[in-house]
Amino acid sequence: MAVLEHTPPAVAQPSPTQPKKGWRKYWHLYAAISPFYLIFLGFGLFPVGFSFYLSFHRWDGLGSMEWAGLSQYQYLLSDSDFWNSIGNTLIIWALATFPMILLAMVTAVMLNSAVRLKGLYRVAYFLPNVTSVVAIAIVFGSIFSTNAGMVNAVLNAVGIDQVAWLNTPWGIKITIAALMTWQWTGYNAIIFLAGLQTIPSELYEAARVDGAGPIQTFFRITLPLLRPTLLFVLVVSTVTGLQSFSEPQVLLQTSSNDSTFAGGPGHSGQTMVLYFFQQTFDNNDFGYGAAVAWGIFLVVVLFSIINWRLVQRRGE
Amino acid sequence: MRLSRRGLLRAGLAGTAATALGGLASGCAVPTGSTGRNMVLWYWSGGLSDTVVKNAKARYDRSVDLEAIQIGGQYRSKLITTITGQAHIPDIAGLKGEDMAAYLPNADQFIDLRTLGAEKYRGQYLSWKWDQGIADDGTMVGFPIDCGPVAHYYQFEVFRRAGLPYEPDDVSSGLNTWEKFFDAGVQLGKRVPGAKLLTDINSVFENVVQQGAKRYVDKDRHFIGDQEHVRRAWALAVEAKQRRIVSDLVSGTPDQLSAIQDGKLPSQLNASWASFDIKNGVPKTKGRWRVAQMPVRPANSGGSFLSITKACREPERAFEIITWMLNASNQAQGYVDAGLFPSTPASYGLKPMQEQDDFFGGQVTTDVFGPAAQKIVVAYNSPFDIALGQPLKDEIKNVGVLGKDPKKAWSDAMSKCRRIAKHLGVSY
């Protein structure tokens, strides 16, 4: 019997093809991410460009635009009200931020060492941050009012003359700062708490073995290791504070014919953004409003650069 | 066909594109403004009587679907941006009186109501109010809603205790000049410890300016805020401060409201619509108030208009609706519902306007506001009045609240006004 030998059928070799070009290979990926960029282009980039264009014109919002060249910026640089609003913003930011960071740090350390009701405390401290700014500004307006306010009642009780908080330049700034401090302390305490929990417990154990007390431990271990978190909080507080708007607006608005963006007597509480709103929407001066907005942008950029330098120095 | 991730992705994208195209197509099909029977009316809370709006919808239901939308927040900004955006523009738009200066130079955005037969209604409305709705080129932009005659609200018991006249007619005649008014304030301060006649210095300054026939910028775009009429208003305001008849409080603050309730701030020079603010702000003072004429001559504060935008496809129908909503009878209803004092004198004699107001101790307040409304003189309304009036208001407030030196304040206001005038293209 002969052995039948079978050869497998021939397999056709695929013909070589050219590789697809880059964009054709990945087009579906571009399509997947395009919604964000299209929206950004239409609602982010275009308005920015248009406001820059607008800052070289005079426009009341309804009529025709009138070319004004650099005069809007020249006016901005010599506008004492704009510089006053920058000063106000910085003072209020400082009065609010430094006490806030101190309080937040203390709160975070206490929260970190809490054993019972830990979650409840965290929620309680976080509540001010999610409360309506408008409602709280009205409450603070009552607390700090001259004749009927709680703050002056306390001051009178300890023999101090009452302060016209909402009618004096420094009183206005302190009141706004108190409101902002109250609002942000809890939020930043939670952030500090997160930072605290990244510190290895071995360091504390070693310190305890070496006989360090709680104060020494805080300043030599906790604070240095919290520095990145501290810088983060400072940067965010700076950017947020430079854009403050609702707090002074609601706190200082009146029922008289005066502008709701005036910032109270002497413009003492008029922040940069409030000033921008007053020029743009009270006066219908959209061209100058755009220039003010770019002025604010430059101020924020300047402070961001300062913050960036601080962070960089830490890195070295 | 074998399913694959790529295939599903293609199908999804195609579906999305089809949906987008469909939306675009239907978007293109809708003209700006309204469609078919639809007619859109924009107004703000308190700008019209809700009763009248509801009745207008029912009345014109057979010919149009009247859609009345209450716009909250910054009404003027929203209207301006909508008109500029050329999309979803309302057919009929409310225009706040204090914003008319921004609309009148842009009269081409609105239909000239004279072309729709407005002139035959002129005689029914206060002539100064009618004129305020007309642009420099003669185009009639706004049809009158309400007006805001300013009067002297006061708490009669405090006045009686201070030995001052306290019946409305006696107060009207006894305090009919600023000097007599200030004298009364001085006497009040002596007899009722801690009491001040008025809340803030701005109420004197602004009312004196408003009761005159000129403001800050004239028709020729010339700054007139440094002229005699403003200097006199400033001098009177400073005198009020120096004679201690104004407090250093700010209107609308809790301090002010509690002082009013305690009778320490018994007076206000305010418009007719302020009666609602008083009722809401200090409800416990019900029955304590009376209203009298303000010194010299009534000023006007506020008061709005209805307009028909260029985007309206049926202006004749819109005009019919407007004129019905703003007739004498409906304006009387507007007063009852929303404190909108009528710009139609015929309303004043109607029953709703003649009701006794318990909050004012049974007084018929129309007896004061009606005559006041008919004596008002108004200034030219310049779009630059806001920007150029602001430094004066700011500085007089600094005098009143912060105790700034009046001469320094005036000087600062003038230098700021010159800078702003130059910036805006106003001559001085």
Side-chain angles (χ1 to χ4, degrees), chain A residues 20 27-28 31 58-63 72 75 78-81 141-142 145-148 167-169 254-259 261 265-267 278 281-285 288, chain B residues 6 9-10 13 74 76-77 80 83-84 102-103 106 109 200 206 248-252 254-256 258 273 301 386-387 390 394 397-398 401-402 416 419-420 422-425:
Chain A
K20 291 179 180 177
W27 70 268
H28 49 292
R58 275 191 204 137
W59 191 40
D60 67 354
L62 273 175
Q72 303 285 27
Y75 184 72
S78 61
D79 187 352
S80 61
D81 284 336
S142 294
S145 67
T146 305
N147 298 319
N167 287 349
T168 53
T254 69
S255 63
S256 70
N257 289 333
D258 203 6
S259 165
F261 308 115
H267 296 304
Q278 184 186 41
F281 296 112
D282 268 5
N283 295 352
N284 271 14
D285 196 352
Y288 185 51
Chain B
R6 181 172 302 172
L9 194 58
R10 283 203 182 109
L13 285 173
Q74 297 273 312
R76 168 169 46 105
S77 298
I80 286 179
I83 291 176
T84 302
Y103 300 119
N106 298 290
Q109 302 286 351
D200 57 21
E206 291 181 44
D248 57 1
L249 301 178
V250 176
S251 288
D255 281 323
Q256 191 223 10
S258 66
W273 41 259
S301 176
I386 293 174
Q390 193 67 45
D394 288 343
K397 183 187 228 176
N398 289 344
V401 178
L402 304 181
K416 276 188 183 175
R419 279 189 72 259
I420 294 172
K422 185 179 175 187
H423 164 65
L424 293 175

Side-chain angles (χ1 to χ4, degrees), chain B residues 60-368:
Chain B
Y60 294 97
D61 187 46
R62 281 172 301 164
S63 47
V64 295
D65 283 327
L66 180 61
E67 187 184 349
I69 304 176
Q70 268 199 30
I71 301 292
Q74 297 273 312
Y75 181 89
R76 168 169 46 105
S77 298
K78 292 181 180 180
L79 181 59
I80 286 179
T81 52
T82 301
I83 291 176
T84 302
Q86 289 290 296
H88 307 295
I89 304 172
D91 302 285
I92 303 171
L95 308 178
K96 295 190 180 188
E98 61 266 28
D99 297 334
M100 287 304 280
Y103 300 119
L104 294 177
N106 298 290
D108 55 320
Q109 302 286 351
F110 303 90
I111 289 180
D112 185 351
L113 300 180
R114 296 174 305 170
T115 64
L116 300 172
E119 282 299 311
K120 67 176 183 284
Y121 294 90
R122 174 192 272 270
Q124 300 173 29
Y125 293 80
L126 296 165
S127 61
W128 61 267
K129 177 67 183 182
W130 187 270
D131 290 342
Q132 276 194 324
I134 298 178
D136 286 358
D137 64 2
T139 304
M140 185 177 183
V141 169
F143 198 89
I145 304 179
D146 62 322
C147 57
V150 176
H152 176 195
Y153 295 83
Y154 66 98
Q155 296 186 34
F156 80 96
E157 183 57 35
V158 179
F159 269 47
R160 193 186 62 78
R161 209 184 332 148
L164 298 169
Y166 57 90
E167 293 291 356
D169 286 344
D170 296 333
V171 174
S172 294
S173 58
L175 279 67
N176 63 352
T177 67
W178 286 109
E179 285 311 311
K180 289 180 185 174
F181 190 81
F182 290 171
D183 289 343
V186 171
Q187 181 167 325
L188 174 74
K190 288 176 180 168
R191 305 287 190 88
V192 182
K196 303 285 188 184
L197 191 60
L198 294 173
T199 299
D200 57 21
I201 197 170
N202 286 69
S203 61
V204 175
F205 177 75
E206 291 181 44
N207 274 307
V208 176
V209 173
Q210 298 279 61
Q211 71 188 169
K214 293 188 286 183
R215 213 151 48 194
Y216 306 110
V217 179
D218 68 14
K219 209 161 187 172
D220 302 314
R221 236 195 210 200
H222 188 74
F223 177 66
I224 55 176
D226 52 358
Q227 290 181 3
E228 185 55 32
H229 62 290
V230 176
R231 287 177 184 270
R232 181 169 174 276
W234 181 276
L236 281 171
V238 170
E239 181 184 350
K241 170 70 177 180
Q242 288 170 345
R243 299 182 73 184
R244 301 185 206 278
I245 70 165
V246 295
S247 79
D248 57 1
L249 301 178
V250 176
S251 288
T253 55
D255 281 323
Q256 191 223 10
L257 295 178
S258 66
I260 293 173
Q261 188 157 296
D262 295 341
K264 293 302 202 298
L265 287 177
S267 282
Q268 290 188 26
L269 295 175
N270 223 327
S272 49
W273 41 259
S275 61
F276 270 62
D277 295 337
I278 299 176
K279 290 176 181 177
N280 292 328
V282 277
K284 291 180 182 173
T285 58
K286 180 176 180 178
R288 295 197 223 158
W289 294 90
R290 301 289 188 274
V291 184
Q293 299 288 346
M294 71 176 283
V296 182
R297 176 190 317 118
N300 178 70
S301 176
S304 311
F305 297 83
L306 284 182
S307 65
I308 301 177
T309 63
K310 265 292 167 26
C312 181
R313 302 195 320 167
E314 288 189 80
E316 293 82 7
R317 181 73 66 200
F319 186 68
E320 184 184 341
I321 294 174
I322 284 178
T323 51
W324 182 82
M325 290 181 75
L326 300 176
N327 65 32
S329 172
N330 282 329
Q331 288 214 32
Q333 184 68 47
Y335 183 65
V336 172
D337 288 351
L340 301 164
F341 198 81
S343 53
T344 45
S347 301
Y348 304 162
L350 299 183
K351 191 175 191 301
M353 303 288 304
Q354 290 296 317
E355 296 286 344
Q356 295 183 335
D357 193 329
D358 288 341
F359 195 89
F360 293 91
Q363 184 180 5
V364 178
T365 56
T366 304
D367 290 346
V368 176

